[in-house]
Amino acid sequence: MKSESSELSSNTLGSQVGTAPHMEGRVAGFSVKLDNFDGPFDLLLQLISRHKMDITEVAIASVTDEFIAHIRALEGTEEGWKLDQATEFLVVAATLLDLKAARLLPSGEVDDEADLALLEARDLLFARLLQYRAFKEIAAILADRIAIQERTFARSVALDPIFAALLPEVLIGVTPERFAAIANRVLTPKMAPTLSTEHLHLPMVSVTAEANHVIASLRRSKSLTFRALVADAANTLVVVARFLALLELYKEGQIRFEQVMALGELQVTWTGAESGEISVSDEFDRPPENREEEKSGA
Amino acid sequence: MERDLERSVEAILMVVEEPVSEVVLAQIIERPTEEIQAALKILQEQYEAENRGFALKQVSGGWRFYSHPDLAPLVEKFVLDGQQAKLTQAALETLAVIAYRQPISRARVSAIRGVNVEAVMKTLVNRGLVEECGVEHETGAVLYRTTNYFLERIGLNSVSDLPALAPFLPDVDGLDEVIASLTE
Amino acid sequence: MERDLERSVEAILMVVEEPVSEVVLAQIIERPTEEIQAALKILQEQYEAENRGFALKQVSGGWRFYSHPDLAPLVEKFVLDGQQAKLTQAALETLAVIAYRQPISRARVSAIRGVNVEAVMKTLVNRGLVEECGVEHETGAVLYRTTNYFLERIGLNSVSDLPALAPFLPDVDGLDEVIASLTE
């Protein structure tokens, strides 16, 4: 990466990232006023992502307050406030918060593996923030390209009858089944009738990932109650995922359940190998639908 | 001398399916018919002078781009090439709509496909896969259906032998109309 | 002599219904692909220099004639393409991720976007911008990629013509997997 070489001002760096034309429509017009920073939110992100500003010095609560004020102000205008703007802010703020949490960890003594993982996560979160921003800017470029392309129309005319008469026998080239699949796709209304849940910002929960967590905890402690195993679960989805993971592990013969009385404390004991890979089925992580139509041809 | 007018004529004629008359061009471009005529003449002569592979021709009251007659053998070769036998994706999708919703008007097909299907429909008719079959009562729009040749090419005895659509689709019949009414 | 080749290209492009590749043109005209490429470039530049109302463009693996974007307001009066619904910001960003990371599973897209992308992915598939393309070996997750229609919509010849991600995302190599492993 070329820009790392000299102490360019943050402005030049900013323009290199391609801020100006592409960033419109982002948290557009949202500025923050903090003790140590006063300017567009976007610039703040840039400074953080360029290591020009330490995330630990940013008061995320203040940023959030200001954003809420910004949204409120928009409510009064003709445009109204934008759901996608709010969503975007939430995503960015959540990442910032994660990043900050990771940064604030005492980096001196590392005695727990979980701490180590968190420290590694710090850079990953940072990278994730960068990546998130990158695709946002790319999206703006795509939108521009689509807008330009929509202004040109392709010549697509039927062949002159003289030439058409020469055409060889038409080749439909698909089976009736595939033909029906095409009809299915084309006749399905274009607007997906699903209500978008994007704005809920549901974190992804994977049974496979939770299984790994459960395996690690049980190997460390040998025996734990279910209550303890889910004590740090962020939400119900995680609890469900860990429960499913336990069922899978039980099926694999890696653990033993003990429950003294019905609805009582469930004790989980590790009976599997001390180390090594344990494969847990990912059937829960796969999307439920399966499409009958394979990919559409050229 | 005025490139603007000629550019406009070129742009329109490049993408239209049917020959366009001078009067229609004059209306759209909002210039007198005489000027349009003059522009068409200039373009026609330019292409000829520049020895282009295409020409502007007036056919049955309208103007349209054609490949130059000199190059007909080459165009024939292109047409005869195996590649042209295969239906394009757009043609296949349009054919699917007609097969499962026949009889159906072009406007309706357009509404379902979400794009202009004029050229594609014409291709399907030219290729003998689709044919006209009367008009819609209320609108007077021409209706289309698939032909026996279509059945032959896809290897079925009758339209009723087409595989059934996904069970949830018949319910959206009404939806088609709503979408169509929005777009028509 | 040279003009002959360009004329031939012009004549064929005048009758194609879909973009035609340089290779097909080379086969029909019986000249090396490089010569065809050169001729196409010459024509493209000529039309631009002469300020024509049409343009030659390479989109989605092939060449064809288009009306010039300047004249869109006029052409729109003729070609009533069902106006394409605008893509939302979420759809655009999801599309960007898929375009640059294809083939990619939905979970992976979700991980990068930081939100659930199920509904958006469904919309993109329905719109024909994205399609399934097999499954991931280890996880069995369905993989997605962008379609030729996507290329047509953004007016690019191939996915490799997308602007480089590098200036936007320095030193990203290998990061994806780590991030994904963290989130999945």
Side-chain angles (χ1 to χ4, degrees):
Chain A
M1 191 181 84
K2 47 227 152 154
S3 62
E4 225 66 282
S5 53
S6 64
E7 60 274 56
L8 295 163
S9 81
S10 57
N11 273 348
T12 16
L13 283 168
S15 61
Q16 190 217 10
V17 184
T19 5
H22 306 310
M23 300 304 274
E24 266 145 64
R26 299 204 64 221
V27 246
F30 173 48
S31 288
V32 285
K33 210 174 165 78
L34 307 171
D35 291 343
N36 50 355
F37 178 86
D38 184 0
F41 181 54
D42 240 9
L43 181 57
L44 177 65
L45 283 185
Q46 245 176 64
L47 293 177
I48 294 168
S49 64
R50 293 269 164 192
H51 291 291
K52 294 284 170 192
M53 186 153 180
D54 190 347
I55 179 70
T56 57
E57 288 168 15
V58 177
I60 292 173
S62 311
V63 176
T64 309
D65 287 347
E66 297 223 7
F67 185 76
I68 291 168
H70 171 69
I71 290 282
R72 288 257 160 80
L74 278 181
E75 265 176 336
T77 69
E78 216 167 279
E79 274 191 291
W81 68 284
K82 296 236 168 57
L83 181 62
D84 51 348
Q85 265 196 27
T87 312
E88 178 181 331
F89 178 79
L90 283 177
V91 174
V92 174
T95 310
L96 280 177
L97 200 60
D98 287 350
L99 186 57
K100 189 169 177 178
R103 270 290 142 89
L104 287 172
L105 255 163
S107 41
E109 69 273 36
V110 178
D111 41 21
D112 193 333
E113 277 192 22
D115 280 359
L116 189 66
L118 256 180
L119 282 173
E120 281 168 5
R122 183 171 76 181
D123 285 335
L124 292 172
L125 289 164
F126 176 71
R128 183 171 151 193
L129 189 61
L130 273 182
Q131 175 161 264
Y132 179 79
R133 286 166 41 77
F135 282 115
K136 261 198 132 53
E137 296 181 18
I138 292 288
I141 292 178
L142 290 188
D144 286 350
R145 292 210 64 104
I146 290 174
I148 293 168
Q149 190 60 14
E150 268 170 0
R151 296 171 56 79
T152 74
F153 298 86
R155 176 175 175 86
S156 168
V157 300
L159 217 47
D160 289 339
I162 329 149
F163 293 123
L166 297 172
L167 279 170
E169 283 256 74
V170 62
L171 201 74
I172 290 185
V174 297
T175 60
E177 288 68 33
R178 172 116 175 80
F179 188 73
I182 292 170
N184 260 328
R185 179 164 52 77
V186 179
L187 289 171
T188 306
K190 294 289 180 289
M191 293 142 289
T194 344
L195 189 66
S196 168
T197 50
E198 280 255 316
H199 56 287
L200 295 178
H201 182 43
L202 267 183
M204 297 288 303
V205 176
S206 136
V207 174
T208 316
E210 294 308 324
N212 288 334
H213 175 93
V214 166
I215 293 168
S217 305
L218 284 172
R219 275 179 171 163
R220 210 180 311 130
S221 311
K222 281 284 153 227
S223 184
L224 285 169
T225 62
F226 182 68
R227 189 194 303 276
L229 271 173
V230 299
D232 63 339
N235 55 47
T236 324
L237 273 181
V238 175
V239 176
V240 172
R242 287 193 189 160
F243 183 68
L244 291 172
L246 284 176
L247 291 182
E248 281 297 318
L249 289 170
Y250 183 72
K251 209 168 77 187
E252 298 291 328
Q254 305 288 349
I255 54 170
R256 195 176 64 228
F257 288 128
E258 284 162 298
Q259 196 171 28
V260 182
M261 56 177 169
L263 301 178
E265 199 75 77
L266 180 67
Q267 191 72 29
V268 187
T269 307
W270 184 253
T271 60
E274 280 309 316
S275 59
E277 283 267 325
I278 309 271
S279 82
V280 175
S281 155
D282 63 353
E283 66 177 303
F284 298 111
D285 293 342
R286 287 195 297 260
E289 79 269 31
N290 56 69
R291 295 159 55 85
E292 69 277 62
E293 184 192 352
E294 75 280 33
K295 69 155 228 60
S296 74
Chain B
M1 58 151 213
E2 223 186 325
R3 194 67 202 120
D4 264 7
L5 175 54
E6 288 148 32
R7 293 187 85 207
S8 305
V9 171
E10 283 181 323
I12 293 170
L13 292 181
M14 190 51 79
V15 299
V16 291
E17 168 65 21
E18 301 285 340
V20 188
S21 72
E22 290 153 6
V23 177
V24 172
L25 283 172
Q27 278 166 3
I28 299 286
I29 306 178
E30 294 173 6
R31 297 288 278 273
T33 314
E34 300 73 49
E35 284 185 29
I36 301 288
Q37 273 167 344
L40 284 161
K41 270 272 168 291
I42 290 171
L43 287 173
Q44 196 174 34
E45 282 160 19
Q46 263 179 14
Y47 300 150
E48 197 61 38
E50 289 169 7
N51 209 12
R52 294 271 164 216
F54 50 79
L56 213 49
K57 281 203 288 185
Q58 192 176 19
V59 174
S60 66
W63 291 81
R64 188 181 184 228
F65 274 111
Y66 291 90
S67 23
H68 197 285
D70 286 359
L71 297 153
L74 198 64
V75 176
E76 280 173 23
K77 193 175 164 201
F78 173 72
V79 169
L80 285 167
D81 183 65
Q83 309 245 359
Q84 304 310 306
K86 243 184 103 184
L87 288 180
T88 64
Q89 186 66 18
L92 207 49
E93 289 178 7
T94 306
L95 188 57
V97 172
I98 300 169
Y100 280 91
R101 289 287 185 265
Q102 55 189 313
I104 186 168
S105 70
R106 197 175 67 195
R108 189 63 59 98
V109 178
S110 220
I112 293 173
R113 294 260 293 109
V115 289
N116 187 319
V117 294
E118 195 173 341
V120 176
M121 289 283 281
K122 196 157 179 188
T123 299
L124 292 174
V125 171
N126 281 347
R127 309 223 62 184
L129 295 164
V130 160
E131 64 191 4
E132 296 184 6
C133 63
V135 295
E136 206 165 44
H137 269 313
E138 317 90 64
T139 63
V142 178
L143 293 170
Y144 293 85
R145 68 176 172 211
T146 53
T147 61
N148 286 334
Y149 179 62
F150 158 72
L151 290 173
E152 194 185 298
R153 297 309 293 165
I154 201 169
L156 292 176
N157 279 325
S158 109
V159 175
S160 59
D161 292 342
L162 280 169
L165 292 183
F168 60 90
L169 268 176
D171 287 336
V172 299
D173 251 358
L175 243 171
D176 279 358
E177 260 121 72
V178 181
I179 293 169
S181 70
L182 283 175
T183 337
E184 259 164 24
Chain C
M1 191 70 228
E2 272 325 310
R3 189 76 201 111
D4 266 2
L5 176 53
E6 287 148 33
R7 293 187 82 210
S8 304
V9 170
E10 285 180 323
I12 293 174
L13 287 175
M14 208 44 78
V15 301
V16 298
E17 277 177 71
E18 288 206 311
V20 59
S21 72
E22 288 155 1
V23 176
V24 169
L25 286 172
Q27 274 166 14
I28 303 289
I29 305 177
E30 294 176 7
R31 295 287 278 272
T33 314
E34 299 76 50
E35 284 186 30
I36 302 288
Q37 273 168 346
L40 285 160
K41 272 271 170 290
I42 290 172
L43 287 173
Q44 195 175 35
E45 282 159 20
Q46 265 178 13
Y47 300 150
E48 193 65 35
E50 290 168 8
N51 208 12
R52 296 271 164 217
F54 50 78
L56 206 52
K57 284 211 287 182
Q58 189 180 21
V59 168
S60 166
W63 291 81
R64 73 168 152 174
F65 277 110
Y66 287 83
S67 61
H68 197 286
D70 288 357
L71 299 152
L74 276 180
V75 178
E76 272 162 5
K77 294 189 197 173
F78 264 97
V79 188
L80 299 162
D81 259 315
Q83 63 279 57
Q84 288 142 330
K86 258 198 133 73
L87 291 171
T88 62
Q89 184 66 18
L92 279 170
E93 286 172 20
T94 307
L95 201 50
V97 173
I98 299 169
Y100 281 86
R101 292 286 184 262
Q102 56 188 317
I104 187 169
S105 69
R106 200 173 64 195
R108 189 68 61 101
V109 178
S110 261
I112 292 175
R113 294 261 297 111
V115 288
N116 184 316
V117 294
E118 188 171 352
V120 175
M121 291 282 282
K122 217 169 189 171
T123 306
L124 292 175
V125 171
N126 276 346
R127 295 258 189 101
L129 292 162
V130 161
E131 65 189 5
E132 295 182 7
C133 65
V135 294
E136 206 165 45
H137 267 313
E138 313 91 62
T139 62
V142 178
L143 292 170
Y144 294 87
R145 67 172 170 212
T146 54
T147 61
N148 283 338
Y149 176 64
F150 163 73
L151 289 175
E152 276 171 43
R153 284 295 302 274
I154 63 167
L156 283 185
N157 185 41
S158 100
V159 178
S160 59
D161 292 340
L162 282 166
L165 199 53
F168 301 99
L169 185 58
D171 296 338
V172 72
D173 271 352
L175 259 178
D176 274 3
E177 273 96 79
V178 193
I179 294 169
S181 69
L182 187 81
T183 338
E184 259 166 23

